[in-house]
Amino acid sequence: MGKQFAQGRFGALVAAAAAVFLAGGAMAAEDADEAELLKYFEKVDVWHFPVDTTVRYNNQDAVVTRELVFQPPASGELCYVRFDVVKGEGDYGFGLKPATAAGPRKNTEWGINVLKRGTVLNQWYSALRMNVIYFFVEGPKAEGAKEICARKQAAPTAQAGNAYQGPWSDLVTKAKAIHGWPATGSR
């Protein structure tokens, strides 16, 4: 009886995991950027990195510049980096790091700042919760398919990473990206 109960629970866990996996795939299929890229490319591979930073009056400002590491290496060519804000309060900023005097902007380096604000008596906080989504593509379906990537990344929007003015950290920290879409609760 105990063995049957354990097998039943294992089967239920496998079924629940499959349902979550399929629901996550269904949510990803509903993403407008991924659907648009699939019109131009054979394959779209999605990676993400979650950001969750809160700074109170007596904490230090959080100013970070990151470059992600993809382990195992991502398949395809980086097409587009998107910034999906889940929650933002107070004084914060995010986006792709602008070009330095020595050369062009790197679309792999991005930063955030979450700054303390208020006074000792008025202790407000600043918070930023978001997902940085990386879209890798393979197999262009038509001539000029790569132009869609450049157009999406050059859009003058915060979601494309082009609205952030800084401050910037000169130290670029490496962080490990997570393969696939973020959990549905954090999107």
Side-chain angles (χ1 to χ4, degrees), residues 10 45 61 77-78 84 120 148:
F10 178 73
D45 192 20
D61 296 339
E77 186 177 327
L78 179 61
D84 291 346
V120 174
I148 190 76

Side-chain angles (χ1 to χ4, degrees), residues 110-180:
W110 53 269
I112 66 160
N113 70 24
V114 183
L115 308 176
K116 61 186 176 187
R117 61 193 182 112
T119 65
V120 174
L121 301 174
N122 235 349
Q123 293 197 9
W124 300 326
Y125 70 96
S126 296
L128 176 61
R129 230 177 104 213
M130 71 176 185
N131 291 300
V132 182
I133 312 291
Y134 284 72
F135 294 91
F136 288 88
V137 295
E138 287 183 74
K141 291 182 179 178
E143 194 73 28
K146 292 185 181 180
E147 292 172 13
I148 190 76
C149 298
R151 182 179 56 80
K152 291 181 86 52
Q153 200 68 76
T157 63
Q159 194 172 26
N162 295 316
Y164 179 37
Q165 302 300 314
W168 289 98
S169 169
D170 290 330
L171 175 67
V172 179
T173 59
K174 301 247 182 213
K176 187 176 176 186
I178 302 167
H179 191 246

Side-chain angles (χ1 to χ4, degrees), residues 59-126:
N59 291 354
Q60 250 185 336
D61 296 339
V63 180
V64 180
T65 301
R66 296 194 190 282
E67 185 165 17
L68 295 190
V69 176
F70 301 90
Q71 295 289 335
S75 62
E77 186 177 327
L78 179 61
C79 176
Y80 177 51
V81 180
R82 184 177 81 194
F83 298 86
D84 291 346
V85 175
V86 177
K87 175 186 176 186
E89 288 185 45
D91 192 0
Y92 66 90
F94 61 89
L96 293 168
K97 187 171 183 178
T100 60
R105 178 176 86 174
K106 292 169 95 179
N107 281 350
T108 56
E109 290 183 8
W110 53 269
I112 66 160
N113 70 24
V114 183
L115 308 176
K116 61 186 176 187
R117 61 193 182 112
T119 65
V120 174
L121 301 174
N122 235 349
Q123 293 197 9
W124 300 326
Y125 70 96
S126 296

Side-chain angles (χ1 to χ4, degrees), residues 9-73:
R9 288 183 69 186
F10 178 73
L13 285 173
V14 169
V20 167
F21 177 75
L22 291 174
M27 289 299 289
E30 294 173 6
D31 183 75
D33 285 328
E34 185 177 18
E36 182 181 9
L37 291 175
L38 282 170
K39 292 177 187 175
Y40 297 94
F41 297 94
E42 297 293 331
K43 183 180 176 192
V44 176
D45 192 20
V46 176
W47 292 70
H48 77 280
F49 184 79
V51 172
D52 191 357
T53 305
T54 301
V55 173
R56 302 197 183 283
Y57 174 74
N58 54 354
N59 291 354
Q60 250 185 336
D61 296 339
V63 180
V64 180
T65 301
R66 296 194 190 282
E67 185 165 17
L68 295 190
V69 176
F70 301 90
Q71 295 289 335

